[in-house]
Amino acid sequence: MLNDIKSVLYDEETLKEICNNLGKQISEDYKDKNLLLVSVLKGSVMFMADLMRSITIPCRIDFMAVSSYGSGTESSGIVKIKKDLDINLSGYDLLLVEDILDSGKTLYNLRSVLSLRNPKSIRICTLLDKPERREADIVPDYVGAVVPDEFVVGYGLDYDEKYRNLPFIGILSPHVYEK
Ligand code: IMP
Ligand code: MG
């Protein structure tokens, strides 16, 4: 598996630091609010687990699964809800927790769908941001790190459902998807 990684972008220690900083900021910003963290599966699973541990105010969590990618590296732009939320959003300050914001189409569509359910507010927290690739009109409120326009895997992020279990984030070697 490690042979498929061109280089390591963020090691475990750096990721921990990123989560701690975001958690601190979110705890401050939401101290008088009714925070609901919504993790967009599956890519944000490790990020969510670390981020919620660094949040020091009461909050609730829920999970949702949408699909936008096939097995390639380009977004289809079509969002299909594969697993919906259990919690009714009315009265909550919703914070969407994403792994990576690329074209932004997935989150743009997801945000539109969720805002129809009358949450008090909706914001976006993404671990990684690839602003060069943005096509949809969406600006994240919290960003862990800005990454170059390369395909990254690990710490929850996949290529063809693989590499999610790597504890760090690395750049996928092009030989893997140029086959
Ligand atoms: P968007 O709709 O183009 O913003 O795509 C967002 C989704 O595409 C993310 O939630 C990821 O699942 C996936 N994605 C985008 N870029 C990467 C990447 O570099 N590595 C792994 N997954 C990615
Ligand atoms: Mg994803």
Side-chain angles (χ1 to χ4, degrees), residues 37-68:
L37 296 172
V38 167
S39 157
V40 185
L41 295 170
K42 304 169 209 172
S44 73
V45 67
M46 281 202 206
F47 177 43
M48 177 75 160
D50 285 341
L51 181 68
M52 62 193 268
R53 272 182 282 201
S54 65
I55 291 176
T56 53
I57 56 165
C59 69
R60 292 181 175 83
I61 66 165
D62 205 348
F63 296 89
M64 174 157 207
V66 300
S67 65
S68 62

Short mmCIF file of all heavy atoms in Angstrom, two decimals, residues 37-68:
data_model
loop_
_atom_site.label_atom_id
_atom_site.label_comp_id
_atom_site.label_asym_id
_atom_site.label_seq_id
_atom_site.Cartn_x
_atom_site.Cartn_y
_atom_site.Cartn_z
N LEU A 37 -22.93 18.50 14.80
CA LEU A 37 -21.90 18.16 13.81
C LEU A 37 -22.45 17.08 12.89
O LEU A 37 -22.93 16.05 13.37
CB LEU A 37 -20.66 17.58 14.51
CG LEU A 37 -19.88 18.48 15.45
CD1 LEU A 37 -18.82 17.63 16.18
CD2 LEU A 37 -19.21 19.61 14.68
N VAL A 38 -22.38 17.31 11.60
CA VAL A 38 -22.82 16.29 10.66
C VAL A 38 -21.63 15.86 9.80
O VAL A 38 -21.07 16.65 9.05
CB VAL A 38 -23.98 16.78 9.77
CG1 VAL A 38 -24.20 15.83 8.60
CG2 VAL A 38 -25.26 16.87 10.59
N SER A 39 -21.25 14.61 9.97
CA SER A 39 -20.14 14.07 9.22
C SER A 39 -20.65 13.50 7.91
O SER A 39 -21.62 12.74 7.87
CB SER A 39 -19.49 12.96 10.06
OG SER A 39 -18.78 12.06 9.26
N VAL A 40 -19.99 13.89 6.84
CA VAL A 40 -20.35 13.35 5.53
C VAL A 40 -19.47 12.11 5.28
O VAL A 40 -18.26 12.22 5.08
CB VAL A 40 -20.17 14.41 4.42
CG1 VAL A 40 -20.66 13.88 3.08
CG2 VAL A 40 -20.91 15.70 4.78
N LEU A 41 -20.09 10.95 5.36
CA LEU A 41 -19.38 9.67 5.22
C LEU A 41 -18.93 9.43 3.78
O LEU A 41 -19.52 10.00 2.88
CB LEU A 41 -20.31 8.52 5.65
CG LEU A 41 -20.71 8.52 7.12
CD1 LEU A 41 -21.81 7.49 7.37
CD2 LEU A 41 -19.51 8.24 8.01
N LYS A 42 -17.94 8.58 3.55
CA LYS A 42 -17.16 7.96 4.59
C LYS A 42 -15.87 8.73 4.84
O LYS A 42 -15.18 8.53 5.82
CB LYS A 42 -16.78 6.52 4.17
CG LYS A 42 -17.93 5.63 3.83
CD LYS A 42 -17.37 4.35 3.17
CE LYS A 42 -18.39 3.81 2.21
NZ LYS A 42 -17.88 2.72 1.39
N GLY A 43 -15.54 9.61 3.91
CA GLY A 43 -14.23 10.27 3.92
C GLY A 43 -13.90 11.04 5.18
O GLY A 43 -12.74 11.17 5.55
N SER A 44 -14.93 11.57 5.87
CA SER A 44 -14.64 12.42 7.02
C SER A 44 -14.62 11.66 8.34
O SER A 44 -14.58 12.27 9.40
CB SER A 44 -15.64 13.58 7.09
OG SER A 44 -16.90 13.11 7.50
N VAL A 45 -14.64 10.34 8.28
CA VAL A 45 -14.81 9.57 9.51
C VAL A 45 -13.66 9.77 10.53
O VAL A 45 -13.90 9.97 11.72
CB VAL A 45 -15.08 8.07 9.20
CG1 VAL A 45 -13.89 7.37 8.57
CG2 VAL A 45 -15.52 7.32 10.43
N MET A 46 -12.43 9.77 10.05
CA MET A 46 -11.30 9.96 11.00
C MET A 46 -11.23 11.40 11.48
O MET A 46 -10.98 11.67 12.64
CB MET A 46 -9.97 9.60 10.34
CG MET A 46 -9.72 8.13 10.28
SD MET A 46 -7.94 7.82 10.11
CE MET A 46 -8.00 6.23 9.31
N PHE A 47 -11.48 12.31 10.56
CA PHE A 47 -11.48 13.73 10.89
C PHE A 47 -12.54 14.03 11.94
O PHE A 47 -12.29 14.70 12.94
CB PHE A 47 -11.70 14.53 9.61
CG PHE A 47 -11.78 16.01 9.79
CD1 PHE A 47 -10.89 16.69 10.63
CD2 PHE A 47 -12.73 16.77 9.11
CE1 PHE A 47 -10.96 18.07 10.80
CE2 PHE A 47 -12.80 18.14 9.27
CZ PHE A 47 -11.92 18.79 10.11
N MET A 48 -13.75 13.51 11.71
CA MET A 48 -14.85 13.71 12.65
C MET A 48 -14.48 13.19 14.04
O MET A 48 -14.70 13.86 15.05
CB MET A 48 -16.09 12.97 12.13
CG MET A 48 -17.29 13.03 13.04
SD MET A 48 -18.06 14.67 12.98
CE MET A 48 -19.68 14.22 13.61
N ALA A 49 -13.91 12.00 14.08
CA ALA A 49 -13.55 11.38 15.36
C ALA A 49 -12.54 12.23 16.13
O ALA A 49 -12.65 12.39 17.35
CB ALA A 49 -12.99 9.98 15.12
N ASP A 50 -11.58 12.79 15.42
CA ASP A 50 -10.57 13.62 16.08
C ASP A 50 -11.10 15.01 16.39
O ASP A 50 -10.84 15.56 17.47
CB ASP A 50 -9.30 13.72 15.21
CG ASP A 50 -8.50 12.43 15.26
OD1 ASP A 50 -8.70 11.63 16.21
OD2 ASP A 50 -7.67 12.22 14.36
N LEU A 51 -11.86 15.57 15.46
CA LEU A 51 -12.39 16.92 15.66
C LEU A 51 -13.34 16.96 16.86
O LEU A 51 -13.25 17.86 17.71
CB LEU A 51 -13.13 17.39 14.39
CG LEU A 51 -13.71 18.80 14.45
CD1 LEU A 51 -12.59 19.84 14.50
CD2 LEU A 51 -14.62 19.07 13.25
N MET A 52 -14.25 16.00 16.95
CA MET A 52 -15.23 16.05 18.05
C MET A 52 -14.55 15.91 19.41
O MET A 52 -14.99 16.49 20.39
CB MET A 52 -16.36 15.03 17.85
CG MET A 52 -15.94 13.60 17.84
SD MET A 52 -17.29 12.56 17.22
CE MET A 52 -18.09 12.16 18.74
N ARG A 53 -13.44 15.19 19.45
CA ARG A 53 -12.71 15.05 20.71
C ARG A 53 -12.03 16.34 21.13
O ARG A 53 -11.68 16.52 22.29
CB ARG A 53 -11.65 13.95 20.59
CG ARG A 53 -12.20 12.60 20.94
CD ARG A 53 -11.14 11.56 20.88
NE ARG A 53 -10.88 11.20 19.47
CZ ARG A 53 -10.31 10.07 19.11
NH1 ARG A 53 -9.91 9.22 20.01
NH2 ARG A 53 -10.14 9.79 17.83
N SER A 54 -11.81 17.22 20.17
CA SER A 54 -11.15 18.48 20.52
C SER A 54 -12.16 19.62 20.71
O SER A 54 -11.77 20.76 20.93
CB SER A 54 -10.09 18.83 19.48
OG SER A 54 -10.70 19.08 18.25
N ILE A 55 -13.46 19.30 20.61
CA ILE A 55 -14.50 20.29 20.88
C ILE A 55 -14.89 20.18 22.35
O ILE A 55 -15.18 19.08 22.83
CB ILE A 55 -15.70 20.10 19.92
CG1 ILE A 55 -15.27 20.49 18.50
CG2 ILE A 55 -16.91 20.91 20.36
CD1 ILE A 55 -16.31 20.27 17.43
N THR A 56 -14.89 21.31 23.04
CA THR A 56 -15.04 21.28 24.50
C THR A 56 -16.42 21.74 24.96
O THR A 56 -16.67 21.83 26.16
CB THR A 56 -13.97 22.17 25.15
OG1 THR A 56 -14.04 23.47 24.54
CG2 THR A 56 -12.58 21.60 24.94
N ILE A 57 -17.32 22.06 24.03
CA ILE A 57 -18.68 22.48 24.40
C ILE A 57 -19.65 21.33 24.10
O ILE A 57 -19.31 20.45 23.30
CB ILE A 57 -19.11 23.75 23.63
CG1 ILE A 57 -19.00 23.51 22.11
CG2 ILE A 57 -18.28 24.96 24.05
CD1 ILE A 57 -19.71 24.53 21.27
N PRO A 58 -20.85 21.33 24.72
CA PRO A 58 -21.80 20.25 24.41
C PRO A 58 -22.21 20.31 22.94
O PRO A 58 -22.40 21.40 22.39
CB PRO A 58 -23.02 20.58 25.29
CG PRO A 58 -22.53 21.54 26.31
CD PRO A 58 -21.39 22.28 25.71
N CYS A 59 -22.31 19.16 22.32
CA CYS A 59 -22.79 19.13 20.93
C CYS A 59 -23.41 17.78 20.64
O CYS A 59 -23.28 16.84 21.43
CB CYS A 59 -21.65 19.43 19.96
SG CYS A 59 -20.40 18.15 19.86
N ARG A 60 -24.10 17.70 19.53
CA ARG A 60 -24.65 16.43 19.07
C ARG A 60 -23.98 16.07 17.76
O ARG A 60 -23.42 16.95 17.10
CB ARG A 60 -26.17 16.53 18.90
CG ARG A 60 -26.91 16.72 20.21
CD ARG A 60 -28.41 16.80 19.95
NE ARG A 60 -29.19 16.86 21.19
CZ ARG A 60 -29.42 17.97 21.88
NH1 ARG A 60 -28.95 19.14 21.47
NH2 ARG A 60 -30.15 17.93 22.99
N ILE A 61 -24.06 14.79 17.39
CA ILE A 61 -23.47 14.38 16.12
C ILE A 61 -24.47 13.55 15.31
O ILE A 61 -25.36 12.91 15.87
CB ILE A 61 -22.17 13.55 16.30
CG1 ILE A 61 -22.45 12.21 16.97
CG2 ILE A 61 -21.13 14.35 17.08
CD1 ILE A 61 -21.30 11.23 16.85
N ASP A 62 -24.31 13.58 14.01
CA ASP A 62 -25.08 12.71 13.14
C ASP A 62 -24.26 12.43 11.88
O ASP A 62 -23.24 13.10 11.66
CB ASP A 62 -26.44 13.34 12.79
CG ASP A 62 -27.48 12.29 12.43
OD1 ASP A 62 -27.12 11.11 12.23
OD2 ASP A 62 -28.69 12.64 12.33
N PHE A 63 -24.70 11.46 11.13
CA PHE A 63 -23.96 11.03 9.94
C PHE A 63 -24.85 10.97 8.72
O PHE A 63 -26.04 10.70 8.83
CB PHE A 63 -23.34 9.64 10.18
CG PHE A 63 -22.33 9.63 11.28
CD1 PHE A 63 -22.73 9.41 12.60
CD2 PHE A 63 -21.00 9.88 11.02
CE1 PHE A 63 -21.80 9.41 13.63
CE2 PHE A 63 -20.06 9.89 12.03
CZ PHE A 63 -20.45 9.66 13.35
N MET A 64 -24.22 11.21 7.61
CA MET A 64 -24.96 11.20 6.37
C MET A 64 -24.03 10.64 5.30
O MET A 64 -22.81 10.87 5.37
CB MET A 64 -25.28 12.66 6.13
CG MET A 64 -25.91 12.98 4.86
SD MET A 64 -26.79 14.52 5.08
CE MET A 64 -28.01 14.21 3.84
N ALA A 65 -24.58 9.93 4.35
CA ALA A 65 -23.72 9.44 3.25
C ALA A 65 -24.30 9.89 1.92
O ALA A 65 -25.50 9.74 1.67
CB ALA A 65 -23.61 7.93 3.29
N VAL A 66 -23.45 10.49 1.12
CA VAL A 66 -23.85 10.89 -0.23
C VAL A 66 -22.81 10.35 -1.20
O VAL A 66 -21.69 10.06 -0.80
CB VAL A 66 -23.94 12.44 -0.37
CG1 VAL A 66 -24.94 13.02 0.60
CG2 VAL A 66 -22.58 13.10 -0.20
N SER A 67 -23.18 10.22 -2.45
CA SER A 67 -22.15 9.79 -3.40
C SER A 67 -22.03 10.82 -4.50
O SER A 67 -23.01 11.38 -4.97
CB SER A 67 -22.48 8.43 -3.99
OG SER A 67 -23.65 8.52 -4.75
N SER A 68 -20.80 11.09 -4.88
CA SER A 68 -20.57 12.01 -5.99
C SER A 68 -19.50 11.46 -6.93
O SER A 68 -19.42 11.85 -8.07
CB SER A 68 -20.12 13.37 -5.48
OG SER A 68 -18.91 13.25 -4.79
#
